[in-house]
Each structure stands twice: as C-alpha cells, then as structure tokens.
Coordinates of all heavy atoms in Angstrom, one line a residue:
I1 N -28.2 3.3 -10.8 CA -27.2 2.8 -11.8 C -27.8 3.0 -13.1 O -28.9 2.7 -13.4 CB -26.9 1.3 -11.5 CG1 -26.2 1.1 -10.2 CG2 -26.0 0.8 -12.6 CD1 -26.0 -0.3 -9.8
E2 N -27.0 3.6 -14.0 CA -27.5 4.0 -15.3 C -26.8 3.1 -16.3 O -25.8 2.5 -16.0 CB -27.1 5.4 -15.6 CG -27.8 6.5 -14.9 CD -29.3 6.5 -15.3 OE1 -29.6 6.1 -16.4 OE2 -30.1 7.0 -14.5
G3 N -27.4 3.0 -17.5 CA -26.7 2.4 -18.6 C -25.5 3.2 -19.0 O -25.4 4.4 -18.6
D4 N -24.6 2.7 -19.7 CA -23.3 3.4 -20.0 C -23.5 4.7 -20.6 O -22.8 5.7 -20.4 CB -22.4 2.5 -20.9 CG -21.9 1.3 -20.1 OD1 -21.9 1.3 -18.9 OD2 -21.4 0.4 -20.8
D5 N -24.5 4.9 -21.5 CA -24.7 6.1 -22.2 C -25.3 7.2 -21.3 O -25.1 8.4 -21.6 CB -25.7 6.0 -23.3 CG -25.1 5.3 -24.5 OD1 -23.9 5.2 -24.6 OD2 -25.9 4.8 -25.4
G6 N -25.8 6.9 -20.1 CA -26.4 7.8 -19.2 C -25.5 8.3 -18.1 O -25.9 9.2 -17.3
I7 N -24.3 7.9 -18.1 CA -23.3 8.3 -17.0 C -22.8 9.7 -17.3 O -22.4 10.0 -18.4 CB -22.1 7.3 -17.0 CG1 -22.6 5.9 -16.6 CG2 -21.0 7.7 -16.0 CD1 -21.6 4.8 -16.7
T8 N -22.8 10.5 -16.3 CA -22.3 11.9 -16.4 C -20.8 11.8 -16.8 O -20.0 11.2 -16.1 CB -22.5 12.7 -15.1 OG1 -23.9 12.6 -14.8 CG2 -22.0 14.1 -15.3
S9 N -20.5 12.5 -17.9 CA -19.1 12.4 -18.5 C -18.1 13.4 -17.9 O -17.0 13.0 -17.5 CB -19.2 12.6 -20.0 OG -18.0 12.5 -20.6
D10 N -18.4 14.7 -17.9 CA -17.5 15.7 -17.5 C -18.1 16.6 -16.4 O -19.2 17.1 -16.6 CB -17.1 16.6 -18.7 CG -16.4 15.8 -19.8 OD1 -16.2 14.6 -19.7 OD2 -16.2 16.5 -20.9
F11 N -17.4 16.8 -15.3 CA -17.9 17.6 -14.2 C -16.7 18.2 -13.4 O -15.6 17.7 -13.5 CB -18.8 16.9 -13.3 CG -18.4 15.5 -12.9 CD1 -17.7 15.3 -11.7 CD2 -18.6 14.4 -13.7 CE1 -17.3 14.0 -11.3 CE2 -18.3 13.1 -13.3 CZ -17.6 12.9 -12.1
T12 N -17.0 19.3 -12.7 CA -16.0 20.0 -11.9 C -16.5 20.3 -10.5 O -17.6 20.8 -10.4 CB -15.6 21.3 -12.6 OG1 -15.2 21.0 -14.0 CG2 -14.5 22.1 -11.9
L13 N -15.7 20.0 -9.5 CA -16.0 20.4 -8.2 C -15.4 21.8 -8.0 O -14.2 22.0 -8.3 CB -15.3 19.5 -7.1 CG -15.5 19.9 -5.7 CD1 -17.0 19.8 -5.3 CD2 -14.7 19.0 -4.8
Q14 N -16.2 22.8 -7.5 CA -15.7 24.1 -7.3 C -16.1 24.6 -5.9 O -17.0 24.2 -5.3 CB -16.4 25.1 -8.3 CG -16.0 24.7 -9.8 CD -16.7 25.6 -10.8 OE1 -17.9 25.9 -10.6 NE2 -16.0 26.0 -11.8
Y15 N -15.3 25.6 -5.5 CA -15.7 26.4 -4.2 C -15.7 27.9 -4.6 O -15.0 28.3 -5.5 CB -14.8 26.1 -3.1 CG -13.4 26.6 -3.2 CD1 -13.0 27.8 -2.7 CD2 -12.3 25.8 -3.7 CE1 -11.7 28.3 -2.8 CE2 -11.0 26.2 -3.8 CZ -10.7 27.5 -3.3 OH -9.5 28.0 -3.4
Y16 N -16.4 28.6 -3.8 CA -16.6 30.0 -4.0 C -15.7 30.8 -3.1 O -15.7 30.6 -1.9 CB -18.1 30.4 -3.7 CG -18.5 31.7 -4.3 CD1 -18.7 31.9 -5.6 CD2 -18.8 32.8 -3.4 CE1 -19.1 33.1 -6.2 CE2 -19.2 34.0 -4.0 CZ -19.4 34.2 -5.3 OH -19.8 35.4 -5.8
S17 N -14.9 31.7 -3.7 CA -13.9 32.5 -3.0 C -13.7 33.9 -3.7 O -13.5 33.9 -4.9 CB -12.6 31.8 -2.9 OG -11.6 32.6 -2.2
N18 N -13.8 34.9 -2.9 CA -13.6 36.3 -3.5 C -14.4 36.6 -4.7 O -13.9 37.1 -5.7 CB -12.1 36.5 -3.7 CG -11.3 36.4 -2.5 OD1 -11.6 36.9 -1.4 ND2 -10.1 35.8 -2.6
N19 N -15.7 36.2 -4.6 CA -16.7 36.4 -5.7 C -16.4 35.7 -7.0 O -16.9 36.1 -8.1 CB -16.8 37.9 -6.0 CG -17.3 38.7 -4.8 OD1 -18.2 38.3 -4.1 ND2 -16.7 39.9 -4.6
V20 N -15.6 34.6 -7.0 CA -15.4 33.7 -8.1 C -15.5 32.3 -7.7 O -15.2 31.9 -6.6 CB -14.1 34.0 -8.9 CG1 -14.1 35.4 -9.4 CG2 -12.9 33.8 -7.9
W21 N -15.9 31.4 -8.7 CA -15.8 30.0 -8.5 C -14.5 29.4 -8.9 O -14.0 29.8 -9.9 CB -16.9 29.3 -9.3 CG -18.3 29.5 -8.7 CD1 -19.2 30.4 -9.2 CD2 -18.9 28.9 -7.6 NE1 -20.3 30.4 -8.4 CE2 -20.2 29.4 -7.4 CE3 -18.4 27.9 -6.7 CZ2 -21.0 29.0 -6.4 CZ3 -19.3 27.5 -5.7 CH2 -20.6 28.1 -5.5
V22 N -13.9 28.7 -8.0 CA -12.5 28.1 -8.2 C -12.6 26.6 -8.3 O -13.2 25.9 -7.6 CB -11.6 28.5 -6.9 CG1 -10.2 27.9 -7.1 CG2 -11.6 30.0 -6.7
D23 N -11.9 26.1 -9.4 CA -11.9 24.7 -9.6 C -11.0 24.0 -8.6 O -9.9 24.4 -8.4 CB -11.3 24.4 -11.0 CG -12.3 24.8 -12.1 OD1 -13.4 25.2 -11.9 OD2 -11.8 24.7 -13.3
V24 N -11.6 22.9 -8.0 CA -10.9 22.1 -7.1 C -10.4 20.8 -7.8 O -9.3 20.3 -7.6 CB -11.7 21.7 -5.8 CG1 -11.0 20.8 -4.9 CG2 -12.1 23.0 -5.1
D25 N -11.3 20.2 -8.6 CA -11.1 19.0 -9.2 C -11.9 18.9 -10.5 O -13.1 19.3 -10.5 CB -11.5 17.8 -8.3 CG -11.0 16.4 -8.9 OD1 -10.0 16.4 -9.6 OD2 -11.7 15.5 -8.6
V26 N -11.3 18.4 -11.6 CA -12.0 18.4 -12.9 C -12.0 16.9 -13.4 O -10.9 16.3 -13.4 CB -11.3 19.3 -13.9 CG1 -12.0 19.1 -15.3 CG2 -11.3 20.7 -13.5
V27 N -13.1 16.4 -13.7 CA -13.2 15.0 -14.2 C -13.7 15.1 -15.7 O -14.7 15.8 -16.0 CB -14.2 14.2 -13.4 CG1 -14.4 12.8 -14.0 CG2 -13.8 14.1 -11.9
T28 N -13.0 14.4 -16.6 CA -13.4 14.4 -18.0 C -13.4 12.9 -18.5 O -12.7 12.1 -17.9 CB -12.4 15.2 -18.9 OG1 -11.1 14.7 -18.7 CG2 -12.4 16.7 -18.5
N29 N -14.3 12.7 -19.4 CA -14.4 11.4 -20.0 C -14.7 10.3 -19.0 O -14.2 9.1 -19.1 CB -13.2 11.0 -20.8 CG -12.9 12.0 -21.9 OD1 -13.9 12.4 -22.6 ND2 -11.7 12.4 -22.1
N30 N -15.5 10.6 -18.0 CA -15.8 9.6 -17.0 C -16.8 8.6 -17.5 O -17.7 8.9 -18.3 CB -16.5 10.3 -15.8 CG -17.0 9.3 -14.7 OD1 -16.2 8.6 -14.2 ND2 -18.3 9.3 -14.5
T31 N -16.5 7.3 -17.2 CA -17.4 6.2 -17.7 C -17.8 5.3 -16.5 O -18.4 4.3 -16.7 CB -16.7 5.3 -18.7 OG1 -15.5 4.8 -18.2 CG2 -16.4 6.1 -20.0
E32 N -17.6 5.8 -15.3 CA -17.9 5.0 -14.1 C -19.2 5.4 -13.5 O -19.5 6.6 -13.4 CB -16.8 5.1 -13.0 CG -15.4 4.7 -13.5 CD -15.4 3.2 -13.7 OE1 -16.0 2.4 -13.0 OE2 -14.7 2.8 -14.7
N33 N -20.0 4.5 -13.0 CA -21.3 4.8 -12.4 C -21.1 5.5 -11.0 O -21.8 6.3 -10.6 CB -22.1 3.6 -12.1 CG -23.2 3.4 -13.2 OD1 -23.8 4.3 -13.6 ND2 -23.3 2.2 -13.7
K34 N -20.0 5.1 -10.3 CA -19.6 5.7 -9.1 C -18.2 6.3 -9.2 O -17.3 5.5 -9.5 CB -19.7 4.7 -7.9 CG -19.4 5.3 -6.6 CD -19.5 4.3 -5.5 CE -19.2 4.9 -4.1 NZ -19.3 3.9 -3.1
T35 N -18.0 7.6 -8.9 CA -16.7 8.2 -9.0 C -16.3 8.6 -7.6 O -17.0 9.4 -7.0 CB -16.8 9.4 -10.0 OG1 -17.3 9.0 -11.2 CG2 -15.4 10.0 -10.2
T36 N -15.1 8.2 -7.2 CA -14.5 8.6 -5.9 C -13.3 9.3 -6.2 O -12.4 8.9 -6.9 CB -14.2 7.4 -5.0 OG1 -15.4 6.6 -4.8 CG2 -13.6 7.8 -3.7
R37 N -13.2 10.5 -5.7 CA -12.0 11.4 -5.9 C -11.5 11.9 -4.6 O -12.2 12.1 -3.6 CB -12.4 12.6 -6.8 CG -13.1 12.2 -8.1 CD -12.1 11.8 -9.1 NE -11.4 12.9 -9.6 CZ -10.6 12.9 -10.6 NH1 -10.5 11.8 -11.3 NH2 -9.9 14.0 -11.0
F38 N -10.2 12.2 -4.5 CA -9.6 12.9 -3.4 C -9.0 14.2 -3.8 O -8.4 14.3 -4.9 CB -8.5 12.0 -2.8 CG -9.0 10.7 -2.3 CD1 -9.0 9.5 -3.1 CD2 -9.5 10.6 -1.0 CE1 -9.5 8.3 -2.6 CE2 -10.0 9.4 -0.5 CZ -10.0 8.2 -1.3
V39 N -9.2 15.2 -3.0 CA -8.7 16.6 -3.4 C -7.9 17.2 -2.3 O -8.0 16.7 -1.1 CB -9.9 17.5 -3.7 CG1 -10.7 17.0 -4.9 CG2 -10.8 17.7 -2.5
D40 N -7.1 18.2 -2.6 CA -6.3 18.9 -1.6 C -7.3 19.6 -0.7 O -8.4 20.0 -1.1 CB -5.4 19.9 -2.3 CG -4.3 19.2 -3.0 OD1 -3.9 18.0 -2.6 OD2 -3.7 19.8 -4.0
T41 N -6.8 19.9 0.5 CA -7.6 20.6 1.5 C -7.9 22.0 1.1 O -7.1 22.7 0.5 CB -6.9 20.6 2.8 OG1 -6.6 19.3 3.3 CG2 -7.7 21.3 3.9
F42 N -9.2 22.4 1.3 CA -9.6 23.8 1.0 C -10.6 24.2 2.0 O -11.3 23.4 2.7 CB -10.1 24.0 -0.4 CG -11.3 23.3 -0.7 CD1 -12.6 23.9 -0.6 CD2 -11.3 21.9 -1.2 CE1 -13.7 23.2 -0.9 CE2 -12.5 21.3 -1.5 CZ -13.7 21.9 -1.4
V43 N -10.8 25.5 2.2 CA -11.8 26.1 3.1 C -12.8 26.9 2.3 O -12.4 27.7 1.5 CB -11.1 27.0 4.2 CG1 -12.2 27.6 5.1 CG2 -10.1 26.2 5.0
A44 N -14.1 26.6 2.5 CA -15.1 27.3 1.8 C -16.5 27.3 2.5 O -16.7 26.3 3.2 CB -15.3 26.6 0.4
D45 N -17.3 28.3 2.2 CA -18.6 28.3 2.7 C -19.6 27.7 1.6 O -20.7 27.3 2.0 CB -19.1 29.7 3.0 CG -18.4 30.3 4.2 OD1 -18.0 29.5 5.1 OD2 -18.1 31.5 4.3
K46 N -19.2 27.8 0.4 CA -20.0 27.3 -0.7 C -19.2 26.3 -1.6 O -18.1 26.6 -2.0 CB -20.5 28.4 -1.6 CG -21.4 29.4 -0.9 CD -21.7 30.5 -1.9 CE -22.3 31.7 -1.2 NZ -22.6 32.8 -2.2
V47 N -19.8 25.2 -2.0 CA -19.3 24.3 -3.0 C -20.3 24.0 -4.0 O -21.5 24.1 -3.7 CB -18.7 23.0 -2.4 CG1 -17.5 23.4 -1.5 CG2 -19.7 22.2 -1.7
R48 N -19.9 23.6 -5.2 CA -20.9 23.1 -6.2 C -20.2 22.1 -7.1 O -19.0 22.1 -7.3 CB -21.4 24.3 -7.0 CG -20.5 24.9 -8.0 CD -21.2 26.0 -8.8 NE -20.3 26.6 -9.8 CZ -20.6 27.6 -10.6 NH1 -21.8 28.2 -10.4 NH2 -19.7 28.1 -11.4
L49 N -21.1 21.3 -7.7 CA -20.7 20.3 -8.7 C -21.2 20.9 -10.0 O -22.4 20.9 -10.3 CB -21.2 18.9 -8.4 CG -20.8 17.8 -9.4 CD1 -19.3 17.6 -9.2 CD2 -21.6 16.6 -9.1
K50 N -20.3 21.4 -10.9 CA -20.7 21.9 -12.2 C -20.6 20.8 -13.2 O -19.6 20.2 -13.4 CB -19.8 23.1 -12.5 CG -20.1 23.8 -13.8 CD -19.2 25.0 -14.0 CE -19.6 25.7 -15.3 NZ -18.7 26.9 -15.5
I51 N -21.7 20.6 -13.9 CA -21.8 19.6 -14.9 C -21.4 20.2 -16.3 O -22.1 21.1 -16.7 CB -23.2 18.9 -15.0 CG1 -23.7 18.5 -13.6 CG2 -23.3 17.8 -16.0 CD1 -22.8 17.4 -12.9
L52 N -20.4 19.7 -16.9 CA -19.9 20.2 -18.1 C -20.4 19.4 -19.3 O -20.7 19.9 -20.4 CB -18.4 20.3 -18.2 CG -17.8 21.1 -17.0 CD1 -16.3 20.9 -17.0 CD2 -18.2 22.5 -17.2
K53 N -20.5 18.1 -19.2 CA -21.0 17.2 -20.2 C -21.9 16.2 -19.5 O -21.4 15.2 -18.9 CB -19.9 16.5 -21.0 CG -20.4 15.7 -22.1 CD -19.3 15.0 -22.9 CE -19.8 14.1 -24.0 NZ -18.7 13.3 -24.6
P54 N -23.3 16.3 -19.6 CA -24.2 15.5 -18.8 C -24.1 14.0 -19.0 O -24.2 13.3 -18.1 CB -25.5 16.1 -19.1 CG -25.3 17.5 -19.7 CD -23.9 17.4 -20.3
E55 N -24.0 13.6 -20.3 CA -24.0 12.2 -20.6 C -22.9 11.9 -21.6 O -22.3 12.8 -22.1 CB -25.4 11.8 -21.3 CG -26.6 11.9 -20.4 CD -27.8 11.6 -21.2 OE1 -28.1 12.3 -22.2 OE2 -28.5 10.6 -20.8
Q56 N -22.7 10.6 -21.9 CA -21.8 10.3 -22.9 C -22.1 10.8 -24.2 O -21.3 11.3 -25.0 CB -21.6 8.7 -22.9 CG -21.3 8.1 -21.6 CD -20.0 8.5 -21.0 OE1 -19.0 8.4 -21.7 NE2 -20.0 9.0 -19.8
N57 N -23.4 10.7 -24.6 CA -23.9 11.2 -25.9 C -25.2 11.9 -25.9 O -26.0 11.9 -26.8 CB -24.0 10.0 -26.8 CG -22.7 9.2 -27.0 OD1 -21.7 9.8 -27.4 ND2 -22.7 7.9 -26.7
G58 N -25.5 12.6 -24.8 CA -26.7 13.3 -24.6 C -26.7 14.6 -23.8 O -25.6 15.1 -23.6
S59 N -27.8 15.0 -23.3 CA -27.8 16.3 -22.6 C -28.6 16.3 -21.3 O -29.0 17.3 -20.8 CB -28.4 17.4 -23.6 OG -29.7 17.0 -23.9
I60 N -28.8 15.1 -20.7 CA -29.6 15.0 -19.4 C -28.6 14.6 -18.3 O -28.0 13.5 -18.4 CB -30.8 14.0 -19.6 CG1 -31.7 14.5 -20.6 CG2 -31.4 13.9 -18.2 CD1 -32.8 13.5 -20.9
A61 N -28.5 15.4 -17.3 CA -27.6 15.1 -16.2 C -28.4 14.2 -15.2 O -29.5 14.5 -14.8 CB -27.1 16.3 -15.5
R62 N -27.8 13.2 -14.7 CA -28.4 12.3 -13.7 C -27.4 12.2 -12.5 O -26.4 11.5 -12.6 CB -28.6 10.9 -14.3 CG -29.7 10.9 -15.3 CD -29.7 9.5 -16.0 NE -30.7 9.4 -17.0 CZ -30.5 9.7 -18.3 NH1 -29.3 10.2 -18.6 NH2 -31.4 9.6 -19.2
I63 N -27.6 12.9 -11.5 CA -26.8 12.8 -10.3 C -27.7 12.3 -9.2 O -28.6 13.0 -8.7 CB -26.2 14.2 -9.9 CG1 -25.5 14.9 -11.1 CG2 -25.3 14.1 -8.7 CD1 -24.3 14.1 -11.6
Y64 N -27.5 11.1 -8.7 CA -28.3 10.5 -7.7 C -27.8 10.8 -6.3 O -28.6 10.8 -5.4 CB -28.4 9.0 -7.9 CG -29.2 8.7 -9.2 CD1 -28.6 8.2 -10.3 CD2 -30.6 8.9 -9.3 CE1 -29.3 8.0 -11.5 CE2 -31.3 8.6 -10.4 CZ -30.6 8.2 -11.6 OH -31.3 7.9 -12.7
S65 N -26.5 11.0 -6.2 CA -26.0 11.4 -4.9 C -24.7 12.2 -5.1 O -23.9 11.9 -6.0 CB -25.6 10.1 -4.1 OG -25.0 10.4 -2.9
F66 N -24.5 13.2 -4.3 CA -23.3 14.0 -4.4 C -22.9 14.2 -2.9 O -23.6 14.8 -2.1 CB -23.6 15.4 -5.0 CG -22.4 16.4 -4.9 CD1 -21.2 16.1 -5.5 CD2 -22.6 17.5 -4.2 CE1 -20.1 17.0 -5.4 CE2 -21.5 18.4 -4.1 CZ -20.3 18.2 -4.7
D67 N -21.8 13.6 -2.5 CA -21.3 13.6 -1.1 C -19.9 14.2 -1.1 O -19.1 13.8 -1.9 CB -21.3 12.2 -0.6 CG -22.6 11.5 -0.7 OD1 -23.6 12.1 -0.2 OD2 -22.7 10.4 -1.2
L68 N -19.8 15.1 -0.2 CA -18.5 15.7 0.0 C -18.1 15.7 1.5 O -18.9 16.1 2.3 CB -18.5 17.2 -0.4 CG -17.3 18.0 -0.4 CD1 -16.2 17.4 -1.3 CD2 -17.6 19.5 -0.8
F69 N -17.0 15.0 1.8 CA -16.6 14.8 3.2 C -15.4 15.6 3.6 O -14.5 15.7 2.7 CB -16.4 13.3 3.5 CG -17.6 12.4 3.2 CD1 -17.7 11.8 2.0 CD2 -18.6 12.3 4.2 CE1 -18.8 11.0 1.7 CE2 -19.7 11.5 3.9 CZ -19.8 10.9 2.7
G70 N -15.3 16.1 4.8 CA -14.1 16.8 5.2 C -14.3 17.3 6.6 O -15.3 17.0 7.3
K71 N -13.3 17.9 7.1 CA -13.3 18.5 8.5 C -13.5 20.0 8.5 O -13.1 20.6 7.6 CB -12.0 18.1 9.2 CG -11.7 16.7 9.3 CD -10.4 16.4 10.0 CE -10.2 14.9 10.1 NZ -8.9 14.6 10.7

C-alpha cells in the first residue's frame, strides 16, 4: 500500500497481435491502491501492462502485483 502520491496513475493493458500491441483497457487518473477492471474477451499469447504515468506527481512506477485471469 502506497501513500496517495505513489499510486500508479495511468496505465494500459495490451495484447500482441500481428506484430503490434493492441489496447484492451486504458486507465487514466487512477487514485486507488487496488484497481479491478473487467475487459472483453480476447485471445493472445502475450500481454503487457504499459505504464503511461507512474505516479500522481512523480516518475517511479510501483506495481506490487499484476494479475490477469481468464480461460
């Protein structure tokens, strides 16, 4: 758990398809220590969490857990 200033602000869930990264979900102006999101179904061999704005007012990303569940 971070102080409010250390929470990752902007990030995108992406999957890799046909040699490009495709956005699945985009989060902006996040202020929650734990973020739960639901996305449409997709099929992929590679996924990534791209950090666009690491902190509210800084440049250090703190990701303690990244969990992606599906079938």
Side-chain angles (χ1 to χ4, degrees):
I1 297 175
E2 290 291 338
D4 291 345
D5 287 342
I7 296 171
T8 303
S9 178
D10 300 356
F11 47 94
T12 302
L13 176 67
Q14 299 177 318
Y15 70 90
Y16 197 71
S17 177
N18 298 319
N19 297 319
V20 296
W21 288 99
V22 178
D23 291 351
V24 176
D25 189 31
V26 178
V27 176
T28 57
N29 300 316
N30 177 57
T31 58
E32 300 295 322
N33 264 315
K34 181 177 180 179
T35 305
T36 301
R37 306 281 288 189
F38 296 93
V39 299
D40 291 333
T41 302
F42 65 92
V43 176
D45 291 328
K46 298 178 191 178
V47 295
R48 74 179 180 185
L49 184 66
K50 184 176 180 180
I51 307 302
L52 303 170
K53 185 177 176 192
E55 295 177 297
Q56 305 299 305
N57 299 306
S59 61
I60 298 172
R62 293 171 181 87
I63 307 297
Y64 293 106
S65 177
F66 171 64
D67 303 306
L68 183 63
F69 300 97
K71 297 179 182 180

